[in-house]
Each structure stands twice: as C-alpha cells, then as structure tokens.
C-alpha cells in the first residue's frame, strides 16, 4: 500500500501543536485490504478484490490539557469500480462505490460527524444503495436513505462470510430524518428516569422470502424464513410509531413460528401496559 506521510509536531509552553496527514492516492482496493490485521490473511488469500481507492487520515490542532483543547481527527475514503470475489464465485460484488467522510472535532464524541453520501454495489442484477449522515454520538441527528434488493446467498458467498450462512431474497426501503434525544423526568422526591423525547421520523418497508439462517457451529438451520414489515413514524414522537409485521414464518425441524404483529400508535400499547 503506497502511503504518503507529512506533518509536524511542535512543543508549546503549555502543550503541543500538531499537523499529521497520511494519504494513499489512486491505490488498488486489494492493496488497501492488505493493511488489515493478520487474522484476516486467510480471507484475503481466498478473495479477489480491486478498484480505485483514495484514503486520507489526519490529526490536526493543539493539545492543551489544562484548557481542554484537543486536536481534530479525520478520515476520508473513496472507492470507484470496486469488486469483491471470494473463492471465484459466479456472482461477485461489482460496481462498488463509496464516499466516506468522518471527523471528530476536538476528539469530542458530541462533535462526531459521519457522512457516507453514497455506498453502492451490484451482485448480478441485485443491488444495495444507501446514503447515511450522522452528527453527534450522544444525541445523534440521523439522515438515511437505504434501498436494497438482494439474494442473500449470493451476498454471503461473494463476501465469504464464515460465522453463518444465509439464503433468501431480501428487500428493504428505508428513509429516516431527525434526531434521537432523551430527557430526565422526576418520578418522586429522589427518583428520576430517562425517557426518549424524540426519534428520527422514518418509513421502513422490509421483506424476506424463502430465507434460511445457519450458524456454522450448529447442526440445524432456521428454514422457511419469511416476513413483510411496514413501519413508520411521521412526527418524531416515538409514541406515534406504527408497526405491521405480516406473513411471519420460520421453521427449525418440526418447530415453527407463524403469525403477524400490528401496532397502531405505541402510546396505546404503553397505556395498556401501565
């Protein structure tokens, strides 16, 4: 992996000043993956990868402990025309595209910024596409748009996932926009409780058909997995969430689960539980 490193480190009277920049331009994705820890070497030896990749990581700013001043950490990554093919399967991951920008200003998780303004790939005619933006780890503001229509068995084999095996056609359409926040309420003289005050407004459509799931360490699989889910929240009040799970089915040997779940407005459920 060709890497360029530039920067400086300066001693101050009350701390340090630094500007470190590490970058790798127009590298091959296989070279980038070669920098993974040794425990992934077996997977790399059996997997063909490629694609144009740009990476930049930086640490910039002053470190002054007494004034609680910290540098900013950042990471950027772009992938174009990427592919992943484990053990030369007939349906590899193709057209892998990624724009990732992450920053931790003053090394403060309240200032965490993650912007995946696009990630996309194909497996034959199947696809996965998403845009995800996140601000602040403790009170996160989330913007997400995810669309997928995939044969899970092809996805599993293309990436060479070892701990489990999956099958089935999975479809998902998700949009989410808003903040997740909590608040404190008093329940007595000394007792307080943390409650959810808002969630991102969202709309989710998800389904799987002819599915199965098997841990490689276990003798039996969960078979005939299917469901169709529709869930939504329009105003950010979690109590106004609607959920419907229909055509629910799963089998393990002679045991099975069948049914449906419908919840219109969680506030009514809370009232019943109280």
């Amino acid at each position: 992996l060709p890497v360029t490193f530039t920067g400086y480190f300066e001693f101050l009277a009350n701390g340090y000043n630094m500007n470190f920049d590490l970058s790798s331009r127009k590298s091959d994705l296989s070279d980038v993956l070669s920098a993974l820890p040794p425990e992934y070497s077996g997977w790399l030896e059996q997997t063909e990868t490629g694609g144009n990749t740009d990476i930049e990581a930086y640490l910039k700013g002053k470190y002054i402990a007494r004034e609680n001043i910290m540098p900013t950490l950042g990471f950027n990554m772009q992938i174009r025309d990427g592919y992943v093919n484990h053990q030369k399967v007939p349906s590899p991951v193709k057209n892998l595209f990624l724009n990732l920008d992450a920053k931790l200003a003053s090394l403060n998780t309240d200032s965490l910024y993650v912007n995946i303004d696009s990630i996309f790939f194909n497996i034959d005619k199947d696809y996965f596409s998403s845009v995800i933006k996140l601000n602040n780890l403790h009170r996160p503001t989330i913007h997400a748009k995810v669309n997928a229509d995939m044969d899970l068995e092809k996805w599993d084999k293309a990436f060479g996932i070892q701990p489990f095996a999956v099958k089935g056609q999975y479809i998902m359409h998700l949009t989410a926009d808003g903040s997740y926040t909590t608040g404190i309420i008093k329940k007595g003289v000394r007792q307080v409780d943390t409650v959810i005050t808002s969630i991102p407004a969202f709309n989710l459509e998800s389904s799987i058909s002819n599915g199965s799931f098997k841990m490689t360490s276990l003798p039996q699989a969960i078979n005939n997995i299917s469901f169709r889910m529709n869930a939504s929240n329009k105003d950010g009040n979690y109590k106004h969430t609607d959920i419907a799970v229909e055509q629910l089915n799963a089998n393990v040997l002679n045991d099975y689960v069948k049914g449906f779940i419908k919840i219109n407005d969680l506030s009514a459920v809370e009232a019943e539980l109280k």
Side-chain angles (χ1 to χ4, degrees):
L1 177 65
V3 173
T4 300
F5 177 82
T6 59
Y8 62 82
F9 186 83
E10 179 184 10
F11 290 91
L12 305 175
N14 56 352
Y16 311 99
N17 186 27
M18 62 196 77
N19 189 328
F20 301 135
D21 192 292
L22 184 148
S23 62
S24 180
R25 304 294 183 188
K26 296 182 180 179
S27 304
D28 192 271
L29 180 60
S30 60
D31 294 329
V32 175
L33 294 176
S34 71
L36 290 173
E39 54 263 33
Y40 294 97
S41 60
W43 178 83
L44 289 171
E45 291 174 357
Q46 302 177 58
T47 306
E48 295 180 358
T49 60
N52 300 318
T53 307
D54 288 338
I55 295 176
E56 180 185 16
Y58 58 87
L59 182 64
K60 300 179 180 182
K62 296 180 179 180
Y63 172 78
I64 303 175
R66 289 184 178 181
E67 300 178 25
N68 198 29
I69 296 175
M70 301 289 178
T72 293
L73 177 67
F75 179 78
N76 300 293
M77 185 175 186
Q78 295 182 347
I79 300 175
R80 300 291 185 271
D81 300 320
Y83 69 89
V84 179
N85 189 350
H86 182 72
Q87 294 184 335
K88 298 182 179 181
V89 296
S91 301
V93 172
K94 293 182 178 180
N95 303 318
L96 178 59
F97 180 100
L98 171 67
N99 282 335
L100 168 63
D101 182 23
K103 182 165 60 176
L104 190 62
S106 299
L107 297 180
N108 185 348
T109 54
D110 286 342
S111 302
L112 176 66
Y113 169 79
V114 178
N115 182 10
I116 305 175
D117 72 15
S118 186
I119 179 171
F120 177 88
F121 64 81
N122 287 115
I123 301 177
D124 292 336
K125 294 182 179 180
D126 297 342
Y127 69 93
F128 177 89
S129 174
S130 74
V131 174
I132 301 173
K133 297 180 181 181
L134 171 67
N135 283 298
N136 193 329
L137 191 61
H138 297 296
R139 297 170 64 89
T141 298
I142 300 169
H143 171 78
K145 184 176 182 180
V146 182
N147 292 288
D149 189 342
M150 295 189 301
D151 184 320
L152 295 179
E153 184 177 16
K154 291 181 180 179
W155 168 81
D156 182 28
K157 291 182 177 179
F159 281 105
I161 298 173
Q162 300 298 324
F164 58 85
V166 292
K167 295 181 180 180
Q169 192 69 27
Y170 180 66
I171 298 173
M172 179 173 68
H173 302 291
L174 168 69
T175 58
D177 193 18
S179 299
Y180 176 86
T181 61
T182 59
I184 301 296
I185 61 170
K186 292 184 177 181
K187 301 182 69 175
V189 177
R190 296 182 179 179
Q191 187 177 5
V192 297
D193 196 8
T194 302
V195 297
I196 299 172
T197 54
S198 72
I199 63 172
F202 71 91
N203 187 74
L204 171 65
E205 298 177 13
S206 179
S207 67
I208 188 170
S209 56
N210 301 318
S212 70
F213 178 88
K214 183 182 183 301
M215 299 295 297
T216 54
S217 59
L218 299 177
Q220 297 295 332
I222 303 173
N223 295 310
N224 301 320
I225 301 172
S226 66
F227 67 80
R228 187 177 65 191
M229 172 187 288
N230 288 279
S232 65
N233 181 285
K234 297 180 179 179
D235 61 5
N237 184 337
Y238 81 93
K239 295 181 179 181
H240 298 161
T241 300
D242 295 330
I243 302 172
V245 181
E246 300 176 296
Q247 300 176 10
L248 177 62
N249 188 86
N251 296 88
V252 179
L253 297 177
N254 294 325
D255 298 327
Y256 65 89
V257 173
K258 294 179 181 288
F260 65 90
I261 302 169
K262 289 187 178 182
I263 301 174
N264 295 319
D265 197 333
L266 286 175
S267 59
V269 176
E270 283 193 340
E272 288 291 335
L273 292 175
K274 292 179 180 179

